[in-house]
Amino acid sequence: MSTRAILTVNSGSSSLKLGLFTEELETLAMCHVDRIGRREAAMKIRDAAGRNLPMPEHAPTAFRTNGAALRTALEVFQADFPGLEVIAVGHRVVHGGVNHAEPLRLTEATMKELARLAPFAPLHQPHNLAGVRAAVDTFPGVPNIACFDTAFHREHPFVNDTYALPRRYYEKGVRRYGFHGLSYDYITGELARTEPELHKGRVVVAHLGSGASMCGMKGGHPIDTTMGFSALDGLPMGTRTGQIDPGVLLYLMDTDGLDSHGLSELLYKESGLQGLSGVSNDMRTLESSDDPHAQEAIDYFCFRIRRELGGIAAALGGIDGLVFCGGIGENSANVRAQVCEGMEWLGITLDAEKNVTHAREISTGKTRVLVIPTNEEIVIARAAAQVLETL
Ligand code: ADP
């Protein structure tokens, strides 16, 4: 017996997410590895029914690299699906630059081109491409396909694609790219399938996870998003600042002598919920903490979402629906309630009971509020299957 499968790879700086799908795009298994490169890595693999798959007896308790984690996960998959044959590997690649909106078959030449975009996303792109290298080594001869987080937003109007810098910087690629596109692609696809009327209207999607952003769409087309040139802009995140006055950076360079490396560490890794609370970057931990700084960090997070919601609603000329997704958006009734409080002026009123039970639709007002679990892996798998058909 053999199982032909499409593998999806989302390779980050210290985490690896894998999805295993049939050719017909049925889910076979999902794998999540955290804390790669540290002493205690945690690998969880579940089958489509949500059952944990057992680790091989000799499995390491830590993984030095994403490639090592990939090889162990593959062993687990092979034990559960005898005769497993991976026929394509789809990759989440954060940056496609100005040129790439469509999924791309990876070759040495296209890999080189994507590596040149590393300065645009220094904390993501190199790790994404390391995942591609690991897959090339593990599955020789199998097509690798990149799907870009920036792709969804490439239709933005010029006013929302540029900064007010001298024009030459726009030409050099200093643009508002936007991220989390695979998640927005999934949500808009789900709306088209299940809520066709709402899909035609003005919808704001709030992707609230460790990284967080919002996107406004009209008829499924992106109009505005909170992230810009980098994945730092917009909402505060687990450890990232979100929007910050650039004057603060100039001040820190002058007074604290911070260079680009020091600023990068501060803005990406020491700020956001972690920096403000001094407690944790994890919303669950903050919600269960009685430290007042934890609540202040949550308040700041919700305040910034509310501000962006108003701004995006203005860009859309109104709002017909608000969708929450991502680990926080899907699971934190507190955050959803705090974001929606006093938003009747936008037609938003929550049904408190439905919100607490994480119902799919949690509103009673004219603007519909939905909770839709996102699924970036299936978007990558679909794209890989489509590219495979053309080969
Ligand atoms: P990533 O960007 O790493 O994919 P996720 O989408 O998994 O992140 O989101 C992680 C965030 O979701 C963490 O802050 C976590 O605390 C939060 N989260 C997960 N479950 C819950 C929950 N039940 N209540 C509140 N927050 C939650």
Side-chain angles (χ1 to χ4, degrees):
M1 198 179 72
S2 88
T3 310
R4 285 163 60 82
I6 294 173
L7 180 71
T8 65
V9 177
N10 180 352
S11 170
S13 59
S14 65
S15 72
L16 179 72
K17 290 181 190 166
L18 304 171
L20 194 67
F21 297 85
T22 65
E23 275 180 286
E24 294 72 36
L25 300 174
E26 300 290 331
T27 305
L28 293 170
M30 292 285 175
C31 169
H32 193 162
V33 196
D34 267 331
R35 300 195 288 269
I36 293 171
R38 294 199 228 150
R39 224 181 278 159
E40 15 58 88
M43 177 180 278
K44 277 195 201 120
I45 306 194
R46 297 210 165 95
D47 67 10
R51 280 186 300 257
N52 282 320
L53 299 184
M55 290 290 123
E57 260 172 37
H58 60 275
T61 51
F63 302 99
R64 225 163 38 81
T65 60
N66 291 17
L70 174 64
R71 285 188 291 278
T72 298
L74 185 63
E75 262 189 70
V76 177
F77 291 152
Q78 281 166 335
D80 211 59
F81 305 103
L84 179 71
E85 185 196 348
V86 171
I87 55 169
V89 187
H91 297 268
R92 177 186 181 195
V93 175
V94 80
H95 225 298
V98 177
N99 295 331
H100 296 295
E102 297 301 323
L104 179 71
R105 167 101 192 256
L106 291 166
T107 60
E108 278 306 318
T110 51
M111 285 282 286
K112 269 196 196 131
E113 189 190 341
L114 296 180
R116 279 198 290 274
L117 295 173
F120 285 39
L123 298 188
H124 292 93
Q125 193 88 341
H127 301 292
N128 301 157
L129 297 180
V132 178
R133 291 269 169 233
V136 169
D137 291 345
T138 313
F139 308 103
V142 170
N144 285 277
I145 292 118
C147 302
F148 302 105
D149 252 332
T150 49
F152 186 76
H153 306 284
R154 294 314 311 135
E155 287 179 41
H156 274 182
F158 175 74
V159 289
N160 230 339
D161 197 35
T162 191
Y163 295 100
L165 285 166
R167 198 78 181 211
R168 61 182 181 277
Y169 289 102
Y170 183 79
E171 307 309 332
K172 280 174 79 172
V174 181
R175 301 185 186 194
R176 300 192 72 247
Y177 290 98
F179 298 87
H180 288 136
L182 300 175
S183 177
Y184 295 130
D185 194 338
Y186 177 78
I187 298 292
T188 189
E190 280 300 281
L191 289 178
R193 195 174 63 80
T194 60
E195 310 281 351
E197 279 312 305
L198 183 56
H199 177 258
K200 285 185 206 149
R202 300 156 300 180
V203 177
V204 178
V205 181
H207 175 106
L208 309 178
S210 307
S213 71
M214 294 163 75
C215 179
M217 314 166 191
K218 253 186 198 173
H221 295 286
I223 303 292
D224 192 8
T225 192
T226 58
M227 277 180 173
F229 175 71
S230 74
L232 270 181
D233 204 1
L235 304 178
M237 304 170 224
T239 58
R240 291 176 239 165
T241 48
Q243 191 273 328
I244 185 167
D245 179 344
V248 174
L249 313 185
L250 298 175
Y251 169 80
L252 292 178
M253 289 165 80
D254 285 345
T255 58
D256 288 16
L258 288 183
D259 60 6
S260 68
H261 176 74
L263 282 177
S264 171
E265 291 289 304
L266 176 71
L267 300 175
Y268 277 97
K269 297 184 181 166
E270 298 166 17
S271 299
L273 296 174
Q274 172 70 57
L276 259 185
S277 70
V279 173
S280 173
N281 63 345
D282 190 288
M283 184 56 78
R284 266 170 304 196
T285 309
L286 296 182
E287 286 186 343
S288 59
S289 165
D290 50 17
D291 186 322
H293 290 172
Q295 187 55 51
E296 276 174 4
I298 299 173
D299 291 347
Y300 181 78
F301 184 67
C302 295
F303 175 72
R304 300 304 302 200
I305 297 169
R306 291 161 62 81
R307 256 185 125 244
E308 294 289 353
L309 182 57
I312 298 176
L316 294 177
I319 173 172
D320 302 301
L322 169 64
V323 179
F324 285 101
C325 65
I328 299 172
E330 291 162 31
N331 297 299
S332 174
N334 283 332
V335 167
R336 291 193 302 256
Q338 205 170 327
V339 166
C340 294
E341 198 185 326
M343 283 282 176
E344 290 78 11
W345 67 279
L346 271 184
I348 293 173
T349 317
L350 280 202
D351 179 319
E353 202 178 312
K354 288 191 175 152
N355 183 39
V356 167
T357 53
H358 309 291
R360 186 172 192 276
E361 181 146 9
I362 58 174
S363 52
T364 56
K366 146 174 108 38
T367 298
R368 299 178 64 194
V369 184
L370 305 174
V371 179
I372 303 182
T374 195
N375 188 344
E376 291 154 299
E377 281 69 31
I378 189 73
V379 174
I380 303 171
R382 280 179 198 147
Q386 269 171 15
V387 171
L388 205 52
E389 265 179 26
T390 66
L391 298 181

